[in-house]
């Protein structure tokens, strides 16, 4: 089978719940973009959507969130470009190597105030381990053989990840509460 993701292929390494953050770097050999995080990630998960940055050959990205005020670009910010200016999540990628450093939401959205990051871009250990797999069936939209999707789900389950074709139930509940409050159905 192809790689799910290098952090998943040999099992999941538990993170440290007291991890205080670290530094992310793009893949440039010279003058890499540097992003400093002052907190651990939350809701870290394998994501099969077509928008997230994935290592070469991987079916999934590993992405989590940090509070917006816990993220600062600390070197070579001028190299960052927004991948898709029309997307709700403004993914900031290095213009030279293509690595996505963070995604920020600037529009009215349930997750506004949280920045999406790939903690694997950090040399520090201890980041929260993946908690679930989201948008699993989306890998089919990207050309993965639908006859083999069961094998992918089985492999994800075998390493302890529940699989969803959306986000996890707690995150979907947060979206529903946000939407209900916005419409006035909940106060």
């Amino acid at each position: 089978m192809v790689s799910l993701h290098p952090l998943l292929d040999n099992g999941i390494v538990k993170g440290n719940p007291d991890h205080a953050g670290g530094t992310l770097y793009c893949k440039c050999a010279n003058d890499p973009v540097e992003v400093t995080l002052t907190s651990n990630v939350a809701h870290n998960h394998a994501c099969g959507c077509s928008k997230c940055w994935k290592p070469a050959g991987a079916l999934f990205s590993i992405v989590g969130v940090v509070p917006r005020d816990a993220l600062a670009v600390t070197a070579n910010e001028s190299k960052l470009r927004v991948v898709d200016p029309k997307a709700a999540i403004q993914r900031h990628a290095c213009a030279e190597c293509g690595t996505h450093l963070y995604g920020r939401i600037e529009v009215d959205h349930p997750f506004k105030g949280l920045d999406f990051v790939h903690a694997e871009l950090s040399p520090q250990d201890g980041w929260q381990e993946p908690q679930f797999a989201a948008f699993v069936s989306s890998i089919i939209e990207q050309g993965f053989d639908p006859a083999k999707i069961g094998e992918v789900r089985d492999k994800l389950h075998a390493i302890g990840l529940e699989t969803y074709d959306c986000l996890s139930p707690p995150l979907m509940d947060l979206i529903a509460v946000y939407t209900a409050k916005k419409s006035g159905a909940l106060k």
Side-chain angles (χ1 to χ4, degrees):
M1 174 177 284
V2 297
S3 172
L4 294 175
H5 185 282
L7 294 178
L8 301 176
D9 292 336
N10 296 310
I12 294 174
V13 175
K14 291 291 262 180
N16 175 358
D18 298 321
H19 186 67
T23 308
L24 312 180
Y25 298 94
C26 74
K27 300 290 186 178
C28 287
N30 297 311
D31 302 317
V33 177
E34 177 183 288
V35 174
T36 301
L37 306 179
T38 57
S39 77
N40 200 346
V41 296
H43 306 289
N44 207 19
H45 63 283
C47 184
C49 85
S50 63
K51 300 287 186 179
C52 285
W53 174 82
K54 300 171 179 80
L59 292 174
F60 293 86
S61 74
I62 301 294
V63 62
V65 295
V66 296
R68 182 178 181 148
D69 63 359
L71 184 149
V73 179
T74 47
N76 299 306
E77 185 171 15
S78 64
K79 292 172 65 173
L80 291 175
R81 302 289 181 270
V82 173
V83 175
D84 180 358
K86 295 178 185 172
I89 302 173
Q90 297 287 292
R91 291 168 176 87
H92 295 258
C94 175
E96 291 181 18
C97 70
T99 306
H100 293 200
L101 275 298
Y102 69 97
R104 179 165 284 166
I105 298 172
E106 302 288 1
V107 298
D108 190 28
H109 189 280
F111 299 141
K112 186 174 183 179
L114 297 174
D115 285 342
F116 294 76
V117 296
H118 302 281
E120 71 195 73
L121 297 173
S122 171
Q124 292 91 20
D125 293 327
W127 298 98
Q128 181 190 59
E129 71 278 3
Q131 305 289 300
F132 61 94
F135 302 104
V136 174
S137 61
S138 292
I139 66 173
I140 296 169
E141 298 167 10
Q142 298 163 66
F144 186 78
D145 182 353
K148 295 182 179 180
I149 195 71
E151 293 174 34
V152 170
R153 290 181 192 279
D154 289 346
K155 189 170 181 183
L156 289 163
H157 288 138
I159 60 171
L161 297 182
E162 190 55 60
T163 60
Y164 304 104
D165 291 318
C166 55
L167 293 170
S168 67
L171 290 176
M172 294 306 295
D173 292 347
L174 286 172
I175 293 170
V177 167
Y178 173 88
T179 303
K181 286 181 176 179
K182 188 170 178 166
S183 73
L186 281 178
K187 305 234 184 286

